[in-house]
């Protein structure tokens, strides 16, 4: 009985740690505090209530969605001169830190 | 930080109630920041220091007005795209959400040796770090014949509030087919595209209610921000209404007469039925008083926005020499975040990140015809350095211009929420 419990615990732990590893890999260099600091640049325009006409809310956005959007501005697939300029100077660590912070912020 | 027992906590509370007259040492362990000026630089700095330090820094914002009317978007009020109430904001959010101490008084002087700010009431407030973000003062005598008295006849409306209301009344009340004369300021000044957006919004008013009116612009400069875009827009939306005359063409404004409403230049004497004169500008007076200016403006250390004259004083926004950034609300907000991060780091040991600056200025030319210019900046030892930028193009399609206008509405909502809530 006891060995069965240990066995399942190890399996669950492995699954869980794999999940963590997968997320870590996806968000290399992500740092919550750095993301919070960088987000100061976003909130000059992006209202956290989402009530601003013309500019969408970005807090609470899933990390993958945020990263995809920023990369589309960076490669200029998506149009918008301001966002292309913002994305232009964001490196991987910065994008991932922002993604992490914004995903965990209301 | 000293351990706070119930007794010392009560002591700190008691001291806080008399904060204005007590030296900083009486407050125990909390480092103190005083911010002078509650605009885009000061309100943002006060908020971010208070918010991010989570009570570890005592922040006091000294701002005379209880309700702050933004200079940005005051042109949209002139054009009837915004009502006056919508550009006014209060400071309850900073006090309630972030614990900023609001002091609605004028800061009358700064004693930087003793690290004290003297208030209009005679009270003093002590600081460990001082942020000066006073905006601009007008150099009335830079235009011969203009004066503080003349501002009720030919409003500058370059500080928001009643001056803008006055200007709007004069525009709307101008006689049919009359001439409006506008004198923009010389460089450097607050909001480079602002005078030309104002011309656009006044033209928009005239087009609706006074279509035979004329606007004569006597510019002390030979070129201006977004010139090609504005000129294109004026021709498209207000053909024949606006005559922009460069400094080289009129040869300089020799004298204005507020009794006869005449503007004397080498080229001609222009008679106005209504007018707006925006004189040359300088850093707000308190910056001069604190001794952090060099001439009209205040040199700063680009990496932190610290004054070059005093490491315990930071100067933000229009009052600073933040070359190559323009003097704009967006710039001030961006600079405030760099300064707030640096101040918090020096007072609490929190992490100080590499400075990053940005600016975008939106302007409205006519209904749904928005244009924009923007840039990223980093800090070099001798200046804030432009690293990349963009500007709207002439001939853009109307959908893009409409989206740009809507984006500016979103930005206003964003930046005012960032400053005040």
């Amino acid at each position: 009985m006891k060995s069965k419990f240990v066995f399942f615990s190890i399996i669950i732990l492995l699954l869980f740690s794999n999940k963590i590893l997968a997320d870590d890999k996806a968000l290399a260099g992500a740092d919550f505090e750095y993301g919070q600091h960088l987000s100061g640049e976003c909130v000059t325009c992006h209202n956290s209530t989402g009530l601003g006409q013309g500019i969408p809310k970005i807090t609470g956005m899933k990390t993958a969605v945020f990263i995809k959007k920023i990369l589309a501005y960076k490669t200029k697939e998506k149009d918008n001169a301001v966002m292309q300029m913002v994305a232009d100077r964001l490196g991987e660590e910065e994008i991932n830190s922002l993604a992490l912070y914004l995903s965990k912020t209301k | 930080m000293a351990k706070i027992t119930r007794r010392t906590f009560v002591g700190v509370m008691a001291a806080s109630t008399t904060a204005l007259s007590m030296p900083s040492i009486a407050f125990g362990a909390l480092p103190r920041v005083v911010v002078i000026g509650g605009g885009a630089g000061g309100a943002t700095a006060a908020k971010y220091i208070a918010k991010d330090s989570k009570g570890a820094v005592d922040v006091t914002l000294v701002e005379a007005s209880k309700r702050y009317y933004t200079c940005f978007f005051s042109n949209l009020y002139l054009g009837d795209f915004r009502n006056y109430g919508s550009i006014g904001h209060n400071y309850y959010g900073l006090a309630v959400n972030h614990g900023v101490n609001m002091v609605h008084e004028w800061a009358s002087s700064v004693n930087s040796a003793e690290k004290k700010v003297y208030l209009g009431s005679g009270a003093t407030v002590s600081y460990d770090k001082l942020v000066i973000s006073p905006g601009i003062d007008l150099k009335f005598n830079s235009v011969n014949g203009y004066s503080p008295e003349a501002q009720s006849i030919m409003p500058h409306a370059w500080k928001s509030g009643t001056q803008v209301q006055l200007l709007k009344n004069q525009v709307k009340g101008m006689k049919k087919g009359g001439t409006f004369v506008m004198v923009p300021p010389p460089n450097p000044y607050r909001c480079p595209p602002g005078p030309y957006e104002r011309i656009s919004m006044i033209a928009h008013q005239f087009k609706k209610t006074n279509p035979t009116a004329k606007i004569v612009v006597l510019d002390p400069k030979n070129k201006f921000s977004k010139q090609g875009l504005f000129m294109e827009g004026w021709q498209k939306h207000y053909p024949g209404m606006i005559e922009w005359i460069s400094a080289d063409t009129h040869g300089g404004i020799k004298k204005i007469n507020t009794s006869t409403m005449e503007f004397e230049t080498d080229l001609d004497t222009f008679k106005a039925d209504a007018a707006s004169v925006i004189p040359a500008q300088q850093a707000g007076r308190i910056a001069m008083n604190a001794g952090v200016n060099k001439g009209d403006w205040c040199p700063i250390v680009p990496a932190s926005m610290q004054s070059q004259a005093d490491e315990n004083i930071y100067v933000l926004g229009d009052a600073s020499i933040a070359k190559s950034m323009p003097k704009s609300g967006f710039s001030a907000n961006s600079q405030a975040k760099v300064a707030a991060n640096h101040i918090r780091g020096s007072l609490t040991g929190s992490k100080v990140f590499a400075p990053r600056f940005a600016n975008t200025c939106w302007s409205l030319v006519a209904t749904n015809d928005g244009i924009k210019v923007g840039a990223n900046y980093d800090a070099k030892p001798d200046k804030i350095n432009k690293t990349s930028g963009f500007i709207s193009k002439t001939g853009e399609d109307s959908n893009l211009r409409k989206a740009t206008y809507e984006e500016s509405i979103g930005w206003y909502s964003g930046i005012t929420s960032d400053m005040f809530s």
Side-chain angles (χ1 to χ4, degrees):
Chain A
M1 186 68 188
K2 193 180 171 188
S3 62
K4 207 172 181 181
F5 176 76
V6 171
F7 175 75
F8 278 115
S9 297
I10 289 171
I11 295 291
I12 288 165
L13 200 64
L14 278 174
L15 284 170
F16 190 58
S17 60
N18 274 342
K19 176 84 170 72
I20 291 171
L21 284 173
D23 282 353
D24 274 354
K25 199 180 172 192
L27 291 177
D31 178 271
F32 185 87
E33 192 187 354
Y34 190 34
Q36 181 181 17
H37 174 73
L38 291 171
S39 74
E41 195 175 332
C42 311
V43 296
T44 301
C45 302
H46 291 271
N47 195 330
S48 58
T49 64
L51 296 176
Q53 178 193 351
I55 296 181
K57 179 178 187 275
I58 53 171
T59 47
M61 195 180 268
K62 286 182 175 166
T63 56
V65 175
F66 176 81
I67 291 168
K68 192 178 170 196
K69 281 182 190 287
I70 283 290
L71 291 178
Y73 284 120
K74 207 172 169 63
T75 55
K76 307 209 184 318
E77 283 167 50
K78 259 174 97 74
D79 272 339
N80 186 300
V82 180
M83 281 312 302
Q84 286 177 354
M85 185 178 77
V86 167
D88 186 50
R89 72 167 164 182
L90 294 175
E92 187 186 16
E93 184 190 349
E94 287 150 337
I95 292 172
N96 290 347
S97 297
L98 274 168
L100 179 67
Y101 172 74
L102 292 171
S103 71
K104 294 182 187 303
T105 305
K106 282 182 185 172
Chain B
M1 203 203 288
K3 190 179 172 190
I4 296 181
T5 61
R6 185 176 168 79
R7 178 172 294 177
T8 57
F9 177 71
V10 171
V12 168
M13 291 294 283
S16 296
T17 59
T18 52
L20 298 183
S21 57
M22 302 287 281
S24 62
I25 197 160
F27 297 102
L30 280 190
R32 304 205 66 197
V33 173
V34 174
V35 180
I36 300 174
T44 306
K47 171 182 161 176
Y48 276 76
I49 296 165
K51 174 174 81 74
D52 293 340
S53 68
K54 297 181 176 67
V57 178
D58 185 275
V59 181
T60 298
L61 176 56
V62 181
E63 162 60 50
S65 309
K66 287 189 175 170
R67 192 162 178 81
Y68 183 89
Y69 289 89
T70 58
C71 215
F72 44 95
F73 267 35
S74 62
N75 284 329
L76 272 65
Y77 159 70
L78 285 177
D80 283 340
F81 290 92
R82 298 289 287 218
N83 64 50
Y84 189 63
S86 78
I87 60 169
H89 305 270
N90 64 51
Y91 295 93
Y92 300 150
L94 294 189
V96 173
N97 300 336
H98 308 293
V100 173
N101 308 309
M102 289 305 309
V103 175
H104 291 297
E105 284 197 56
W106 285 100
S108 57
S109 64
V110 173
N111 183 331
S112 55
E114 292 183 13
K115 295 205 216 169
K116 279 183 182 174
V117 176
Y118 290 81
L119 304 176
S121 62
T124 62
V125 53
S126 300
Y127 65 82
D128 296 301
K129 302 289 178 190
L130 174 64
V131 177
I132 299 182
S133 190
I136 53 157
D137 271 352
L138 297 159
K139 298 172 81 172
F140 287 96
N141 60 7
S142 67
V143 181
N144 186 16
Y146 199 61
S147 64
E149 294 75 38
Q151 68 183 329
S152 61
I153 302 163
M154 300 176 175
H156 54 77
W158 218 236
K159 292 184 179 185
S160 199
T162 52
Q163 270 280 298
V164 187
Q165 290 182 300
L166 181 65
L167 176 60
K168 186 166 181 174
N169 285 341
Q170 294 187 358
V171 168
K172 292 189 108 163
M174 195 179 84
K175 77 171 188 189
K176 299 295 173 217
T179 299
F180 186 92
V181 173
M182 164 103 178
V183 178
N187 292 322
Y189 61 94
R190 161 181 283 181
C191 190
Y196 309 95
E197 185 188 56
R198 173 181 288 182
I199 291 159
S200 308
M201 292 295 95
I202 291 172
H204 176 76
Q205 276 289 355
F206 286 155
K207 190 177 175 180
K208 285 191 294 183
T209 58
N210 191 355
T212 55
K214 297 271 183 249
I215 300 173
V216 173
V217 185
L218 299 173
D219 208 317
K221 307 181 291 295
N222 286 317
K223 58 180 185 177
F224 60 86
S225 171
K226 301 181 189 168
Q227 185 166 351
L229 294 161
F230 278 114
M231 292 287 205
E232 179 193 54
W234 293 346
Q235 202 162 9
K236 180 179 173 188
H237 301 292
Y238 320 111
M241 184 183 280
I242 302 166
E243 186 182 7
W244 177 76
I245 306 176
S246 71
D248 281 354
T249 307
H250 63 65
I253 300 160
K254 303 303 173 204
K255 191 175 183 354
I256 65 172
N257 185 326
T258 51
S259 306
T260 60
M261 297 293 282
E262 287 179 334
F263 294 72
E264 199 181 302
T265 72
D266 282 347
L267 179 70
D268 203 350
T269 296
F270 296 85
K271 188 161 170 47
D273 296 292
S276 175
V277 173
I278 310 169
Q281 293 154 31
Q282 62 186 5
R285 190 197 53 82
I286 194 72
M288 312 298 191
N289 179 278
V292 291
N293 64 306
K294 190 175 180 184
D296 286 342
W297 308 101
C298 305
I300 48 89
V301 177
S304 61
M305 300 303 295
Q306 278 165 300
S307 162
Q308 287 185 10
D310 186 331
E311 64 174 10
N312 293 314
I313 299 179
Y314 295 69
V315 186
L316 305 179
D318 296 348
S320 68
I321 302 172
K323 202 176 175 181
S324 310
M325 295 185 87
K327 297 184 187 301
S328 73
F330 197 126
S331 291
N333 172 272
S334 175
Q335 293 159 10
K337 288 166 187 169
V338 169
N341 182 240
H342 193 268
I343 289 169
R344 197 163 57 88
S346 65
L347 294 176
T348 69
S350 65
K351 200 166 178 182
V352 178
F353 296 101
R356 306 159 66 90
F357 300 95
N359 176 64
T360 297
C361 291
W362 288 266
S363 307
L364 187 61
V365 184
T367 304
N368 288 328
D369 193 355
I371 54 178
K372 58 184 174 181
V373 60
N376 279 333
Y377 306 84
D378 64 10
K380 291 274 184 280
D382 60 332
K383 68 169 184 173
I384 296 180
N385 180 56
K386 182 176 168 181
T387 53
S388 63
F390 69 87
I391 184 165
S392 295
K393 294 177 178 60
T394 53
E396 280 172 343
D397 77 54
S398 55
N399 289 332
L400 177 55
R401 290 297 178 85
K402 183 167 185 278
T404 300
Y405 168 60
E406 286 170 355
E407 189 177 85
S408 76
I409 304 291
W411 163 74
Y412 187 87
S413 167
I415 192 170
T416 51
S417 160
D418 194 29
M419 289 162 63
F420 296 110
S421 63

